[in-house]
Amino acid sequence: MSAKTPPRWDPETVPTFWINHASRLLMRHFEQRLRPLEFGMAYLPVVLALEEHGPLLQKQLAEYAHVEQPTMAALLTRMERDGLIQRHPHPDDRRASRISLSPKARERLPEAKARLEEVADQATSGFSEKERAAFMALLRRVVANLEPASGE
């Protein structure tokens, strides 16, 4: 008896290949559009949290961005270097700093959001409103299927 050769797996036949490919292309386009404003996609969770909530602690920003403290510390160092955040002493804790958006970040944020929206519109160009809604619903289901169950 000869061993059967397993069927060749073609990644282009599964939706996950196309989700990954689309994600990489979106990130490339987002980064290209944000670079002239000295923003990066990694900065957005921090910028949006500070815009919405005002000054926050590094620990709070790490929670909003769903990253570990060392990752957030490195990100904030880069953002401070780029002039997008400011650190202020915490009034009750000498070891902590309250982080806020710089005037430069506040000034550039509306343009950054507009550029992100342009890329999102480009990505779904030709979709009807019904198709956009269905696409969003399907992507949310994919995310829900992959998110860890609470308590894990």
Side-chain angles (χ1 to χ4, degrees):
M1 251 195 211
S2 67
K4 282 191 171 182
T5 304
R8 182 178 169 272
W9 182 70
D10 182 1
E12 293 185 18
T13 63
V14 294
T16 51
F17 171 86
W18 294 105
I19 292 169
N20 182 54
H21 189 60
S23 176
R24 290 183 306 149
L25 287 171
L26 283 167
M27 291 301 286
R28 186 177 312 141
H29 282 271
F30 286 147
E31 291 289 349
Q32 287 171 347
R33 299 301 303 273
L34 292 175
R35 193 172 303 122
L37 299 173
E38 297 181 67
F39 273 82
M41 286 300 290
Y43 296 176
L44 286 181
V46 171
V47 170
L48 296 175
L50 292 173
E51 178 189 39
E52 182 177 342
H53 302 287
L56 296 169
L57 300 174
Q58 177 178 312
K59 178 181 179 181
Q60 294 169 306
L61 289 168
E63 290 169 7
Y64 280 116
H66 305 288
V67 298
E68 298 295 324
Q69 287 268 14
T71 302
M72 182 54 64
L75 182 63
L76 292 174
T77 297
R78 288 195 315 270
M79 292 180 74
E80 188 172 31
R81 176 202 66 204
D82 293 344
L84 298 175
I85 61 162
Q86 298 172 326
R87 297 176 195 254
H88 309 279
H90 190 285
D92 302 324
D93 184 349
R94 298 169 134 209
R95 297 166 295 155
S97 294
R98 291 171 49 90
I99 297 151
S100 63
L101 290 177
S102 70
K104 172 182 170 179
R106 288 192 184 284
E107 177 186 316
R108 294 180 181 187
L109 188 54
E111 179 65 21
K113 288 179 178 180
R115 290 179 181 203
L116 292 171
E117 187 67 34
E118 289 169 4
V119 172
D121 288 344
Q122 178 186 355
T124 56
S125 176
F127 285 31
S128 69
E129 285 305 313
K130 187 176 179 180
E131 288 171 325
R132 277 182 191 230
F135 186 58
M136 289 289 295
L138 291 169
L139 288 173
R140 284 186 179 114
R141 281 178 52 195
V142 168
V143 169
N145 288 342
L146 295 173
E147 283 185 330
S150 59
E152 277 188 29

